[in-house]
Amino acid sequence: MRRRRGRPLNGWLIIDKPTGMTSTQVVGFAKRVFDAQKVGHGGTLDPLATGLLPLAFGTATKTVPYVMDGTKVYRFTLRMGESRDSDDADGAVTATTDARPTDDQLRAALPALTGNIMQVPPVYSALKVAGERAYDMARDGRPPELPPRPARVDRFELIERPDADTAVFEVESGKGVYMRALARDVALAAGTLGHITVLRRLRVGPFTEADAIMLDKLAPNDDKAPASPDLLSPVETALADIPALALTEDEAVLLRHGQPLGLVGLMGRIPQTDEAGTVRVMEGERVLGIGRLEDGWLKPVRIL
């Protein structure tokens, strides 16, 4: 008998991830609870971290890149006086200092870490070096020298100073920014050492805490019954913060068949877009897919 692969569910589920679980473990749990064929996630969270972990079911996986490209908001607590090899509380202490910067010294360090910056990722990261994961090399006692990478930090604020040893920050950033590295670097810039003890993601693209559900809410009342698909949001929810461009029925047919549309015929309907010219293509109230405004054409990128 052929093995059953699960239900073909489509949509988004926004999990409020608990601390101590990996993102992969959350995906596996949701796949089992929903008896779903295909589940992925929209941006890894460290095991120590809590907060928004968007899960994509079925065709929603096609929209994962647009979620990962969206703005993210984090809040983290910096513990000063100790550096750790993982740049968070799960790592081993590598150095200590008695230096404790003032609030003004911490704030003075923020401008250099805001905007388009170059950031050295933590050695305990999933980046590959010569085919190996950096965290595997670090665990083997071979921590790699990771080169700086471009990162975009739109907002970096000191929110609270509970005591001399700790400070709470809020960050708004683009994709690929490591909060552990920001914590490490702001401590160094302020004349001390530091690491993250608490990290929470508050927003991912169009998704906020109001959209999130706790993992324990997914457990069905009947152990044999999978979780209800009604808990999933529509696939197109992930594209809500991308500018919309409305097409006529005839235009939609052409784009659906992979044909680009001249922008001259769309004048008066073209929205303001990001530098990539990405638009959410609408056919009436229905999301047709993603297009790109390029070289005088609307070109199909992803049809849903």
Side-chain angles (χ1 to χ4, degrees):
M1 179 180 288
R2 187 175 179 181
R3 186 173 180 270
R4 187 167 60 91
R5 295 178 57 236
R7 298 186 294 171
L9 303 179
N10 302 304
W12 282 93
L13 181 71
I14 314 306
I15 293 295
D16 192 331
K17 188 188 89 66
T19 189
M21 291 185 74
T22 67
S23 299
T24 300
Q25 287 172 332
V26 174
V27 168
F29 177 84
K31 190 173 183 179
R32 290 192 303 274
V33 170
F34 280 88
D35 185 28
Q37 286 183 1
K38 186 177 183 180
V39 185
H41 65 73
T44 303
L45 278 179
D46 294 334
L48 175 142
T50 66
L52 268 63
L53 182 65
L55 301 186
F57 287 68
T59 57
T61 56
K62 295 180 179 181
T63 63
V64 163
Y66 304 101
V67 170
M68 295 182 71
D69 284 348
T71 297
K72 299 171 185 65
V73 177
Y74 297 87
R75 183 168 292 185
F76 70 77
T77 299
L78 171 70
R79 170 83 178 187
M80 290 170 282
E82 288 182 351
S83 60
R84 301 208 175 192
D85 58 4
S86 62
D87 296 317
D88 66 16
D90 288 338
V93 177
T94 56
T96 62
T97 178
D98 292 329
R100 298 294 186 272
T102 64
D103 290 10
D104 287 342
Q105 287 173 317
L106 287 171
R107 290 192 180 97
L110 299 179
L113 296 169
T114 305
N116 293 315
I117 65 173
M118 297 297 291
Q119 184 183 70
V120 177
V123 292
Y124 281 84
S125 65
L127 295 175
K128 284 193 173 182
V129 180
E132 292 187 79
R133 296 289 186 187
Y135 55 64
D136 288 333
M137 298 174 70
R139 287 167 186 156
D140 289 344
R142 302 176 291 118
E145 290 286 336
L146 297 176
R149 294 157 52 96
R152 193 192 83 240
V153 178
D154 298 317
R155 179 170 60 88
F156 195 177
E157 293 183 38
L158 175 63
I159 300 297
E160 187 182 356
R161 188 72 186 271
D163 53 54
D165 293 332
T166 57
V168 181
F169 295 88
E170 194 164 287
V171 177
E172 187 173 324
S173 70
K175 69 174 180 179
V177 180
Y178 290 90
M179 294 301 114
R180 286 176 291 145
L182 274 185
R184 174 199 68 205
D185 292 345
V186 73
L188 288 171
T192 186
L193 301 172
H195 63 276
I196 276 182
T197 57
V198 178
L199 173 61
R200 181 167 179 79
R201 186 155 65 189
L202 308 175
R203 176 186 166 192
V204 184
F207 302 122
T208 68
E209 288 181 293
D211 302 307
I213 184 171
M214 304 296 289
L215 270 183
D216 58 8
K217 300 294 185 184
L218 298 183
N221 294 325
D222 181 345
D223 290 340
K224 296 180 180 178
S228 171
D230 293 341
L231 293 172
L232 304 184
S233 299
V235 173
E236 58 267 23
T237 307
L239 310 177
D241 57 351
I242 297 176
L245 173 57
L247 299 185
T248 66
E249 185 177 341
D250 290 341
E251 291 167 342
V253 169
L254 293 173
L255 201 74
R256 192 181 291 113
H257 286 87
Q259 298 186 39
L261 303 176
L263 296 186
V264 173
L266 302 175
M267 295 301 291
R269 289 180 274 162
I270 301 173
Q272 281 194 322
T273 66
D274 58 15
E275 292 181 3
T278 304
V279 292
R280 172 168 43 103
V281 183
M282 304 294 296
E283 181 184 7
E285 296 297 319
R286 177 175 174 270
V287 178
L288 179 63
I290 292 293
R292 181 173 294 121
L293 307 179
E294 187 176 50
D295 300 327
W297 298 91
L298 168 62
K299 299 179 180 180
V301 174
R302 178 72 73 178
I303 301 300
L304 301 179

